[in-house]
Amino acid sequence: MTSPKAARLQKVFPVELEKFLPEKVLKNYGKWVDRKYHGYGIIEHISETGDRVFTVKVSMPPNARISADTLEKFADVADKLGIGAVRVTMAGNLEILTDSLDKALKIKEEVEKMGFPVGGWGGALWGINSCTAYLTCTTAVVDSPSITKALGDALAPYFSEGGLPAKLRVFVSGCPALCAGGTAIDIAIVGQWGAPPRIREDVIGMCLPPPKALAKVKEAQIFLVQVCPTGALSLRREGDKVKLTLIGEKCINCARCKENCDAFDYDPEDVGVAILVGGKMSNTGGGARLARVLIPWLPANPPRYEEIVAVVKHIVEVWKQHANPGERLADFIDRVGWAKFIELAGLQDIFNYYQQVPEFARTFLHYRGMGEVPKRLRDAL
Amino acid sequence: MWAAGSARIPYVYTGFIARRTRDGTISELHFRVTQPSGYLYSTEKLRQLVDIADKYGLGLIELAGQQGQMIISIKPELANEAIDALRSIGTDVAATGDSVRELAACIGPALCEYALYNTLEARDKFYTHPKIYEWLSNQLFPFKFKAKFSGCPMDCARASHRADVGFIGVWVGAPEVDLELFRKKVESGELDVEKIVARCPSGAISWDKEKKELKIDGSRCKKSMECIRTAFPAIKPGKERKVAVVVGGNVKGRFGPKLGWFIGYLNPDQIKDAVDLTFKVIAPWEAEAQPKYRLGDYIMQTGLDKFIEKAGIKLEGAPFTGKKPDEVPYAVLPKEVRERFLMFAEKLKGRP
């Protein structure tokens, strides 16, 4: 009864767990009772049946993008020293599973020989997530994988040797769409445009109804008008022509329009990043919350992004010096309060200047407002 | 500088991303390949995937834990064969665009002792449901829709921030304390009681020094997992397990990033309820939301209480959804609202 078309429509999903889970994990499914840590990057899972599984956590390159050959090498390691299984983590790390501590240490040795650091557990940097940016993205502002690389080089000791009060995660997103994982994280770096986009008049017609229909259709039914969250995109009548125009003062640079239509151009020279701190996703400590903007604008200067790296290192340093053991950045800021944290970070003068601008102009939908504000911010910074 | 391109693969509507350069000279095709629940691969399966990436693409792979593994740059002319090859090894391209996206679950009972319900099974049940399946393979919604399954309040699958509907394992009341084991651990110096008491965010833990007794006030427990993490297995999650439902969290949406709203509990053994609940959640959003509104944006627009009413969700433990009282003392009120307050006062009148 299945026609070729119906068969073609039928997607196949990897839903039968027995086929995918390694034997040892399947045998102890739901029976784990304890875990032990063996230095940064090696963790021991103890089952009630007495079985033990060790996982070795390996950091991946920015954006977790590796060649098929490298992945095959990891598979070789997992076959030779492990139980023939690997796990991809949410943070873009790779875990190799094995069954004894000796083998785990050997895996660590082997993987480090390949040039990949092992670590990221407990009071350490757990990894830096990055979006794909220029590799595939249509809206990318800054090249987030290269920022990730620059940051990773600076923070690498924290990954493999720890030394932080608690877990630290960093998300580097190339644009306000936040594909690296949002802002509910210790430190989030978000690419920003400096000015509203310019409409490419020659191609904007592709995303609008034909001119005759455009004159008749209600404004609220135009897709691009619906997509804009602040109403900055609107129809204007010029003579007998109806045109889509962008009101610069209303624009918040969220790029929702560019995401849906390729007729918007931002100035590629005028780009920077915002740095948000003090968010987290898990319910530990004071619970989940979104991060807040500490630095609303910094220029993104490839290849080393010295400004961004310096600020992030400074924030980590402040947190490391003043936090109690086991206190994540979010909980630390909660305890001391934002005012004190800004003072500790040495930003109080800048914030005094920055916050003279009324709040509605400074932030709207979490992003910076336009008009005079960015100029003053740049002066202040 | 990429722009949205197009690719035509017969009868496959989601799961690949097509890109072209602005002048149209170069085009790319990326596959989003579904991962098995928990993202655990045997090396055998991994090698098969690697072979496909080598054979049909440029041999470049993104190991994205969030959104399914991505095989990069499939050669467009080989796309059709690549899909067949993927299906022959038991996986497929997942979802892109305005559809139900790749579901995510934490590692759960496969490797973690804290898992409070079977997250992997829940994800698999979701996948096999015909309706979810239809929504996965067709773009029918105002914007994307994500569902995530976290086994415990530590929320490794990020169900509260990155999912439109998230299912998080919790327990009711106080954590379970194995006092003997706890005492033993304290005496051996493995645990520092004072630290455990101090780390509790709601101050629910008290330690009786003389009797050597640990007490946890269940009504104040915020399920922060702090004590459980340090003292496991002497302190364990409580016996009565529930699955907390969170709706409306998102990262990319009209009104910026937001955390989800908690709307009540499900029972952990009835995953069917979770699927039904997802249908209820989707129904008003699909029907009424404007284009490019995420569920969270829609809830912000209608209000959480109205949304719950429209969706017809009735869950135990549903929170009070009223807003904070007004700060200004003047308002134009309809008659019925005034009458309700009057009735409230009337009831109190006769009391001594």
Side-chain angles (χ1 to χ4, degrees), chain B residues 67-345:
Chain B
Q67 190 51 265
Q69 192 181 35
M70 212 187 240
I71 296 185
I72 301 302
S73 291
I74 293 289
K75 291 167 193 148
E77 64 276 11
L78 295 177
N80 213 359
E81 288 167 46
I83 293 231
D84 286 335
L86 280 177
R87 285 182 182 176
S88 71
I89 64 162
T91 181
D92 207 330
V93 289
T96 47
D98 304 337
S99 56
V100 170
R101 292 293 188 90
E102 165 108 0
L103 312 164
C106 71
I107 183 74
L111 213 53
C112 178
E113 64 274 24
Y114 301 142
L116 295 170
Y117 75 106
N118 197 338
T119 52
L120 305 184
E121 196 197 340
R123 182 179 181 266
D124 286 358
K125 282 268 164 61
F126 250 67
Y127 259 129
T128 40
H129 196 283
K131 194 83 187 166
I132 295 281
Y133 175 81
E134 188 192 325
W135 283 337
L136 259 162
S137 2
N138 298 290
Q139 300 192 35
L140 302 167
F141 294 139
F143 208 169
K144 59 187 168 192
F145 186 90
K146 294 184 175 186
K148 296 197 180 200
F149 307 88
S150 274
C152 79
M154 284 205 275
D155 199 4
C156 287
R158 299 171 196 167
S160 64
H161 182 39
R162 303 203 62 178
D164 292 287
V165 53
F167 300 97
I168 304 173
V170 290
W171 66 93
V172 177
E176 202 181 294
V177 184
D178 184 345
L179 211 54
E180 252 167 62
L181 187 64
F182 189 80
R183 279 179 194 147
K184 228 187 263 169
K185 279 198 166 191
V186 171
E187 269 156 33
S188 69
E190 201 182 319
L191 290 175
D192 184 349
V193 190
E194 271 160 32
K195 237 185 210 166
I196 291 174
V197 173
R199 295 279 292 141
C200 181
S202 57
I205 306 177
S206 54
W207 170 250
D208 194 329
K209 253 188 195 166
E210 279 153 28
K211 283 191 209 155
K212 299 215 163 169
E213 247 173 55
L214 189 83
K215 268 192 189 142
I216 304 180
D217 182 355
S219 61
R220 274 157 73 191
C221 177
K222 276 178 154 180
K223 322 283 183 279
S224 81
M225 300 283 290
E226 293 281 0
C227 55
I228 297 171
R229 275 201 305 177
T230 25
F232 199 87
I235 306 179
K236 279 183 187 169
K239 277 264 163 59
E240 199 191 343
R241 310 254 161 106
K242 295 275 178 207
V243 177
V245 184
V246 202
V247 295
N250 67 34
V251 165
K252 178 183 187 171
R254 188 183 175 91
F255 300 130
K258 44 188 112 38
L259 290 173
W261 290 271
F262 165 68
I263 56 164
Y265 296 115
L266 286 173
N267 278 326
D269 48 346
Q270 289 168 311
I271 291 306
K272 203 182 148 289
D273 289 356
V275 185
D276 290 343
L277 184 86
T278 309
F279 298 155
K280 281 185 191 169
V281 165
I282 287 179
W285 170 66
E286 187 190 11
E288 289 177 16
Q290 284 182 39
K292 300 293 163 189
Y293 270 62
R294 285 290 285 272
L295 181 67
D297 301 320
Y298 173 70
I299 294 177
M300 272 174 95
Q301 199 191 22
T302 49
L304 183 60
D305 45 344
K306 273 268 163 57
F307 167 74
I308 290 176
E309 197 186 305
K310 271 185 190 167
I313 299 168
K314 282 192 194 82
L315 293 176
E316 64 168 303
F320 168 65
T321 51
K323 299 171 194 78
K324 268 187 207 164
D326 288 342
E327 282 165 339
V328 276
Y330 33 82
V332 182
L333 293 175
K335 201 179 160 201
E336 51 170 344
V337 175
R338 278 188 263 171
E339 265 169 10
R340 283 190 183 211
F341 281 103
L342 182 67
M343 263 157 65
F344 171 71

Side-chain angles (χ1 to χ4, degrees), chain A residues 151-342:
Chain A
L151 265 180
D153 286 350
L155 300 176
Y158 293 130
F159 183 82
S160 43
E161 289 151 31
L164 294 173
K167 173 181 175 175
L168 172 74
R169 290 281 303 280
V170 183
F171 285 171
V172 186
S173 304
C175 81
L178 301 166
C179 292
T183 59
I185 200 62
D186 303 285
I187 299 175
I189 295 167
V190 184
Q192 308 266 332
W193 282 283
R198 208 165 30 80
I199 296 178
R200 287 165 72 200
E201 298 293 345
D202 48 332
V203 289
I204 186 74
M206 306 274 274
C207 307
L208 292 172
K212 269 188 190 168
L214 192 62
K216 286 178 198 158
V217 177
K218 275 187 196 158
E219 189 186 27
Q221 285 171 351
I222 309 283
F223 180 64
L224 282 175
V225 175
Q226 286 173 335
V227 155
C228 180
T230 60
L233 282 174
S234 60
L235 293 183
R236 285 290 149 88
R237 199 171 286 277
E238 278 176 23
D240 51 352
K241 265 190 180 170
V242 178
K243 259 180 76 179
L244 188 81
T245 49
L246 188 124
I247 306 161
E249 288 78 12
K250 280 190 183 176
C251 181
I252 53 167
N253 287 348
C254 68
R256 314 270 338 118
C257 52
K258 184 165 172 61
E259 202 168 280
N260 291 297
C261 175
D262 189 36
F264 299 88
D265 261 352
Y266 286 91
D267 180 5
E269 298 300 314
D270 190 13
V271 297
V273 297
I275 299 178
L276 293 88
V277 299
K280 63 196 277 230
M281 277 186 221
S282 95
N283 198 35
T284 53
R289 80 206 64 168
L290 299 175
R292 282 169 188 268
V293 178
L294 188 71
I295 310 275
W297 179 273
L298 270 186
N301 293 330
R304 298 312 302 176
Y305 301 96
E306 277 105 356
E307 296 86 356
I308 300 169
V309 172
V311 168
V312 171
K313 267 172 101 174
H314 175 63
I315 296 166
V316 172
E317 205 56 43
V318 167
W319 169 53
K320 205 175 133 185
Q321 270 180 22
H322 296 92
N324 292 339
E327 204 171 38
R328 278 182 75 172
L329 189 53
D331 295 328
F332 162 62
I333 295 175
D334 238 25
R335 179 168 60 85
V336 299
W338 272 97
K340 183 73 184 167
F341 176 71
I342 286 166

Side-chain angles (χ1 to χ4, degrees), chain A residues 8-9 11 15 29-30 32-33 35 45 64 66 68 76 79 86 134 136 169 200 226 265 283 285 326, chain B residues 2 14 19 22 41 43 47 59 61 63 80 84 87 109-110 113 118 124 133 158 199 223 226 232 254:
Chain A
R8 189 75 182 146
L9 277 170
K11 284 191 181 179
V15 289
Y29 192 87
W32 303 102
V33 287
R35 67 173 71 177
H45 303 268
I66 57 175
D76 289 343
D79 272 344
V86 297
Y134 296 148
T136 58
R169 290 281 303 280
R200 287 165 72 200
Q226 286 173 335
D265 261 352
N283 198 35
Chain B
W2 295 105
T14 59
R19 294 279 185 260
R22 248 187 201 167
Y41 288 92
T43 43
R47 276 177 215 276
I61 291 175
L63 292 169
N80 213 359
D84 286 335
R87 285 182 182 176
E113 64 274 24
N118 197 338
D124 286 358
Y133 175 81
R158 299 171 196 167
R199 295 279 292 141
K223 322 283 183 279
E226 293 281 0
F232 199 87
R254 188 183 175 91

Side-chain angles (χ1 to χ4, degrees), chain A residues 94-164:
Chain A
L94 194 76
E95 288 179 355
I96 300 174
L97 274 63
T98 183
D99 54 1
S100 79
L101 185 58
D102 291 347
K103 282 184 184 169
L105 289 170
K106 261 185 210 155
I107 290 176
K108 186 175 172 178
E109 212 174 283
E110 193 101 332
V111 168
E112 275 173 351
K113 228 185 272 166
M114 282 164 71
F116 292 90
V118 169
W121 250 309
L125 175 74
W126 282 45
I128 305 178
N129 279 32
S130 157
C131 69
T132 69
Y134 296 148
L135 286 164
T136 58
C137 182
T138 55
T139 57
V141 187
V142 294
D143 188 20
S144 57
S146 70
I147 298 182
T148 307
K149 171 74 178 124
L151 265 180
D153 286 350
L155 300 176
Y158 293 130
F159 183 82
S160 43
E161 289 151 31
L164 294 173

